[in-house]
Amino acid sequence: MNLMANLIPAAAEIFLLVMVCFILIADLMLTKSSKIVTYMLVQLTLLGCSLITVGTHQPGVVYAFHNMYVDDLMSDVLKMLSYLGMSMVLIYSRQYLMLRGLFTGEFMVLALFALLGMNVMISANHFLTLYLGLELLSLSMYAMVALQRDSAIATEAAMKYFVLGALASGLLLYGMSMLYGATGTLELGAMSDAIKHGVHNKSLLAFGLVFIVSGLSFKLGVVPFHMWVPDVYHGAPTAVTMLIGSVPKLAAFAFVMRILVEGLQPLVQDWSGMLIILAISSMALGNLSAIAQTNIKRMFAYSTITHMGFLLLGVISGGIEGYGASMFYAVVYMLMSLGAFGMIMLLSRAGFEADTLDDFKGLNQRSPWLAFMMMLLMLSMAGIPPTVGFYAKFSLLNSIIQTGHTWLAIVAVLFSLIGAFYYLRVIKLMYFDAPESHAPISVGSDTGLLISINGLGMLFLGLMPGALMSVCAVSVQQSLLLH
Amino acid sequence: MSFFDVVFYLFAAITVMAGMGVVLARNPVHAALFLVLAFCSCAGIWMLLEAEFLAITLILVYVGAVMVLFLFVVMMLDLNLVKLREGFWRWFPFGALIAGLMVFEMVWVLGSRQTADVTTAVVHAADYSNTKELGRLLYTQYVYPFEIAAVILLVAMVAAIALTLRRRQGVKTQNISEQVKAKKADRLRIVKMKSEPKQS
């Protein structure tokens, strides 16, 4: 294979890496007051990446770098959405970071490195690249959580995240080594073929699968591997919490798809049983614990656990529609959590974090428009029509009922009902309680516009979900069926 | 039993014993030294597999750099072992129950099937260079993961600098340029006063 055939599919990643290195150097020449130049460079990089991803799109599935890298429609769509998500994260958090002295080149460079890690994961076709992409993402995240050095709670969160993340990586690697021992390959497609043709040592394969699923669950943050999620969400600066809670969910979806569906498809009977337990326990524990929270970041952390459990339902269904519905759910969840964390940052001021539920009391009196946007976001998270959250949950439930897991759908609906309580409580606080403070809310024109688009988008996508849904369905279909 | 087997079992036995030592040693410094021994004997086993580059790297990187750093940290932390062992016996029955359960499960799963499929190592010709083969693979087939690994190291560098390079409040440090710029007038104040009579 010649050089260009390898480089062209990965052109977006190469451009991103070159730009990160350039920004890393260029940032050193800038004074503290002109960091806005770095910010603009980062946004331009994201724009450039998306243009390159569109420009280098090839129909079908293209492999490069000795089958280590795969370029298919699913990876291109997920990458485009991850650029969009990262851009939104930076727009939302600019003012918040400036007020806290965190608006530095390092923050933005680490965010781009995390994006690179996600893209590597999304396009991986080999256990080695999957793992390295995951490490690149995680390492940037650990550092970003700890970036606020004078905050004891952030340092503690970073420490917990780091230690448990290292443990999860160990589990994953151990599982990968066992699968390698059983099948003699680490390439996803080849491993699937090897298992289909019969593996000599079945127990090694089973043990490897258990370790892989445990490692995956740690990274997804589903019960019983969820311990780090609330502490990290609570302890990290809100901008970093937003980053952890939004875009990486796309990469996590791709990670699950690549490993379980592409690499270990013949073992679907084994892993879907494990995922059912993980999904039910996450939906139960996440929803019930979220009710007891007074800190809204912690509440969203438990809500993430629930949503990740929900996302697994589509993977359990084992059908192409279920995978498409899961992808749709991941995209919608990213947009919802971006909006919700964006709102927390909009209400924060210098020296004040709007991270308790009480800070949302009487928001309608202080700013009716923001309260309305938050209401749309909360309704969407709870899955109430006509917002898009309803459609996302509906298509997932539909896919698992079609594959005969009706009882699982009933359990999921029951837990969603419990979950609706704490989302609706936020709306009640905003509309029916008296505000605790009357401090003016200063909203920049860019963040104000973005939160409006974000909130109304929930409504718009809920009324017309067809386009996004078919993009997800087609991309999953074209990417996974060709193997 | 050939000479090869004797050497293998010798190294393997040392590795297992050193591994036990890491866990069982009371003194953390001793545990770290046992780990060094385990690495060295592992390097010996790799030598037997004709992977001499990996064996030497293991010694250089892990024994030479990582473990020395580790020993420094262990010595500097000055761990209070009595406090760490507190509550050991209280939680012992619970831990033992879990451990026993896991052993039972593993025996149950593994014991039901035959898992003895031992393959012999491939023996290469005398002019075979493990280092060259590794290099060839690393820069052809594995060039993509190799580059990503390089990026991970770059992230580690950026993160380490971002987390440690900061000016803390209330720390006493020397500012050399300020010191050099100091003039006599900054340091010395000449006070004119009348001489006073000697007191009593």
Side-chain angles (χ1 to χ4, degrees), chain B residues 76-111:
Chain B
M76 274 202 292
L77 281 181
D78 191 24
L79 294 168
N80 187 354
L81 288 175
V82 181
K83 211 175 170 193
L84 275 179
R85 283 178 206 284
E86 222 170 64
F88 176 79
W89 287 110
R90 207 176 130 217
W91 296 107
F92 180 75
F94 185 64
L97 185 76
I98 301 265
L101 206 67
M102 284 181 77
V103 169
F104 171 72
E105 283 176 347
M106 282 200 190
V107 169
W108 193 38
V109 172
L110 290 176

Side-chain angles (χ1 to χ4, degrees), chain A residues 42-353:
Chain A
V42 171
Q43 294 285 14
L44 277 178
T45 305
L46 293 172
L47 185 69
C49 283
S50 53
L51 291 178
I52 292 173
T53 303
V54 172
T56 58
H57 173 70
Q58 287 153 293
V61 180
V62 180
Y63 296 100
F65 298 108
H66 295 266
N67 289 347
M68 297 261 172
Y69 181 96
V70 59
D71 182 20
D72 49 21
L73 189 60
M74 184 177 90
S75 68
D76 281 349
V77 170
L78 285 176
K79 275 181 211 169
M80 293 300 288
L81 288 163
S82 68
Y83 305 141
L84 174 76
M86 188 56 86
S87 175
M88 284 169 75
V89 167
L90 290 170
I91 294 173
Y92 273 133
S93 49
R94 184 173 61 91
Q95 203 182 7
Y96 177 91
L97 292 172
M98 272 177 162
L99 291 173
R100 281 155 188 78
L102 288 173
F103 195 65
T104 53
E106 292 87 53
F107 183 91
M108 287 176 268
V109 165
L110 285 173
L112 284 187
F113 272 127
L115 182 69
L116 182 64
M118 286 182 245
N119 286 358
V120 169
M121 279 162 77
I122 288 170
S123 276
N125 189 42
H126 197 275
F127 273 106
L128 210 51
T129 38
L130 273 172
Y131 172 72
L132 285 170
L134 180 68
E135 279 305 286
L136 185 53
L137 167 66
S138 310
L139 202 58
S140 317
M141 290 294 184
Y142 305 146
M144 286 173 91
V145 173
L147 218 48
Q148 206 171 27
R149 277 297 306 275
D150 296 317
S151 155
I153 183 170
T155 313
E156 187 196 327
M159 201 66 207
K160 281 180 181 163
Y161 194 17
F162 182 68
V163 172
L164 288 176
L167 184 67
S169 297
L171 287 177
L172 259 179
L173 278 181
Y174 201 26
M176 285 175 187
S177 69
M178 286 184 190
L179 291 182
Y180 181 67
T183 61
T185 178
L186 279 174
E187 198 192 312
L188 296 174
M191 181 172 287
S192 182
D193 288 341
I195 298 172
K196 247 180 237 160
H197 290 129
V199 172
H200 189 60
N201 195 338
K202 278 261 166 53
S203 52
L204 195 57
L205 203 61
F207 265 78
L209 182 67
V210 171
F211 276 105
I212 292 267
V213 171
S214 313
L216 267 181
S217 319
F218 245 117
K219 296 291 177 186
L220 276 174
V222 289
V223 179
F225 304 101
H226 66 286
M227 302 79 83
W228 59 273
V229 180
D231 286 331
V232 171
Y233 272 48
H234 183 190
T238 310
V240 180
T241 311
M242 177 192 228
L243 184 53
I244 294 175
S246 56
V247 196
K249 303 301 174 203
L250 295 178
F253 165 76
F255 198 65
V256 172
M257 291 311 272
R258 299 274 183 223
I259 288 191
L260 293 184
V261 178
E262 286 192 35
L264 301 170
Q265 176 66 38
L267 299 176
V268 64
Q269 291 297 335
D270 298 315
W271 55 252
S272 63
M274 299 181 205
L275 293 192
I276 286 176
I277 297 171
L278 294 172
I280 292 180
S281 49
S282 320
M283 284 188 287
L285 190 129
N287 276 324
L288 294 175
S289 312
I291 293 173
Q293 305 305 319
T294 54
N295 183 298
I296 196 161
K297 278 159 82 180
R298 259 190 123 73
M299 191 191 93
F300 282 138
Y302 284 105
S303 134
T304 306
I305 296 171
T306 314
H307 284 288
M308 287 301 110
F310 224 97
L311 186 126
L312 287 181
L313 289 181
V315 186
I316 291 164
S317 78
I320 215 85
E321 281 132 35
Y323 303 148
S326 272
M327 183 170 166
F328 184 76
Y329 199 87
V331 175
V332 168
Y333 178 71
M334 179 188 88
L335 294 174
M336 291 190 298
S337 67
L338 281 173
F341 284 112
M343 191 63 77
I344 299 177
M345 281 196 275
L346 280 179
L347 299 183
S348 301
R349 302 183 293 273
F352 172 75
E353 301 273 345

Side-chain angles (χ1 to χ4, degrees), chain A residues 374-413:
Chain A
M374 189 65 178
M375 183 177 80
L376 287 178
L377 289 163
M378 288 298 102
L379 287 178
S380 184
M381 281 214 175
I384 294 170
T387 52
V388 68
F390 164 73
Y391 192 79
K393 281 197 164 66
F394 172 76
S395 51
L396 264 182
L397 292 173
N398 194 23
S399 71
I400 54 168
I401 288 173
Q402 275 178 6
T403 50
H405 297 89
T406 315
W407 65 274
L408 195 56
I410 294 171
V411 172
V413 169

